[in-house]
Amino acid sequence: MKAVVLHEYGGPDKLKYEDVADPVAGAGQVLVRVAATSVNPIDYKLRRGLFKDFMPLTFPAILGNDFSGIVRSVGAGVSGFAAGDKVMGLADSADAELVVAKVGSMTHLPDGLDLVEAAALPVVTLTGEQLITRGTKIQAGQTVLVSGAVGSVGRSAVWAAKQAGAVVIAGVRKSQVTEAAAVGADQVLALDDASAMEKLGFVDAVADTVGGETAEMLLGKVKPGGVFASVVGAPGNAALHPTVKVEAVVMQADAVRIRALAEAVAAKRLVIPIDRMVPLAEAGAAQAAAAKGGIGKVLLLA
């Protein structure tokens, strides 16, 4: 099969479109002919070697986690999936024509969801939902501010918080205020507007997707006993706010929730914008575009 292979850490040019051996489904696994995968921040951060101290790659490496496609074969002990099924989910080494996935990390494609577009969903929707459900643990009637609310993870977090019955503030840049009106939050706040930030009172929780100075500023807006949950690590000033519980959220695969979130997208209750679709062979350019930020999901067509 063809795959996008990384032989050493470095820039997008280090991603090579090459022939590699076909994977084989083992016990409890499914072999899928990939229709599409997608680019996530973890992909280009791993490629650069930013996580090599605690998530080192073994070279040659194939990146990618999201996938959608058609089941080709199933391993021993697998039930519920058969050759020809349309599926989507999470797997290692997804930037390839074939991928092996665990049955607990994948689901059948819901009716009404495009097979290719489904590849945009698993990582970002699960991450956003778990930022709320496992991170903030927000309750009905409480107020949560979601930073980066127009991003894919942020949109998913807003949706999950509204599902929980929370009052949701969409935190965005001033240039994104108009766009943010469509994400389903109760209020929109420009985080780079000093006067608007001064008027913001204490909130029960912050669901952070951006980090940096913005996160440090928002940590001070969480009421004592509240929660600051983040998918990008604790703010640098966390020690200065001992009364706030800081939660680091790392997405965990969950086939049931992948299905539920995909059904929400199929029903247009949750919208994850797709910016472009490019051939798998152009993964380097796709990662470079995604890394600049400010765009929707980038899909790789296998």
Side-chain angles (χ1 to χ4, degrees):
M1 70 171 182
K2 290 287 189 179
V4 179
V5 183
L6 184 68
H7 293 275
E8 60 182 321
Y9 294 117
D13 61 301
K14 300 298 183 182
L15 295 169
K16 307 298 182 183
Y17 188 59
E18 300 177 348
D19 289 306
V20 299
D22 291 357
V24 177
Q29 296 180 328
V30 174
L31 179 66
V32 178
R33 175 58 174 93
V34 176
T37 181
S38 81
V39 177
N40 292 295
I42 186 68
D43 299 323
Y44 43 83
K45 291 177 180 180
L46 284 171
R47 186 203 73 226
R48 293 171 181 165
L50 300 183
F51 298 156
K52 61 184 177 181
D53 290 339
F54 56 95
M55 291 179 64
L57 296 176
T58 299
F59 297 114
I62 300 173
L63 303 177
N65 295 112
D66 291 319
F67 74 88
S68 60
I70 308 293
V71 173
R72 177 166 288 185
S73 64
V74 301
V78 172
S79 61
F81 293 97
D85 287 353
K86 294 180 179 180
V87 295
M88 60 183 292
L90 296 165
D92 294 329
S93 305
D95 290 351
E97 292 179 329
L98 295 170
V99 70
V100 166
K102 298 177 182 178
V103 293
S105 301
M106 58 184 290
T107 185
H108 291 92
L109 193 78
D111 292 340
L113 186 62
D114 180 82
L115 179 63
V116 169
E117 294 180 0
L121 305 180
V123 167
V124 295
T125 58
L126 271 181
T127 301
E129 183 186 62
Q130 292 177 8
L131 177 59
I132 297 300
T133 59
R134 293 177 42 234
T136 67
K137 299 181 178 68
I138 201 73
Q139 301 294 310
Q142 292 184 317
T143 299
V144 58
L145 186 150
V146 179
S147 67
V150 298
S152 298
V153 173
R155 287 169 181 265
S156 302
V158 168
W159 181 85
K162 290 302 297 178
Q163 291 295 109
V167 176
V168 183
I169 302 171
V172 298
R173 295 191 295 269
K174 284 186 284 189
S175 61
Q176 299 170 321
V177 166
T178 300
E179 182 183 0
V183 303
D186 297 285
Q187 304 172 39
V188 177
L189 177 69
L191 300 178
D192 53 351
D193 183 331
S195 62
M197 287 302 300
E198 287 178 4
K199 296 175 184 177
L200 176 66
F202 284 113
V203 297
D204 296 291
V206 166
D208 174 47
T209 74
V210 298
E213 293 182 359
T214 299
E216 294 183 8
M217 173 182 63
L218 289 175
L219 181 57
K221 295 292 185 177
V222 181
K223 64 177 57 174
V227 180
F228 184 99
S230 179
V231 294
V232 290
N237 61 342
L240 301 178
H241 298 270
T243 64
V244 176
K245 185 177 183 180
V246 176
E247 293 278 2
V249 177
V250 178
M251 184 271 293
Q252 297 177 1
D254 185 330
V256 173
R257 297 313 303 160
I258 292 173
R259 172 74 185 204
L261 290 159
E263 288 177 345
V265 173
K268 310 294 192 227
R269 297 192 303 271
L270 171 61
V271 177
I272 303 299
I274 296 172
D275 182 82
R276 67 192 71 179
M277 303 180 186
V278 301
L280 184 62
E282 298 176 16
Q287 282 197 14
K292 291 179 181 178
I295 62 175
K297 290 290 292 181
V298 178
L299 301 188
L300 301 174
L301 307 181

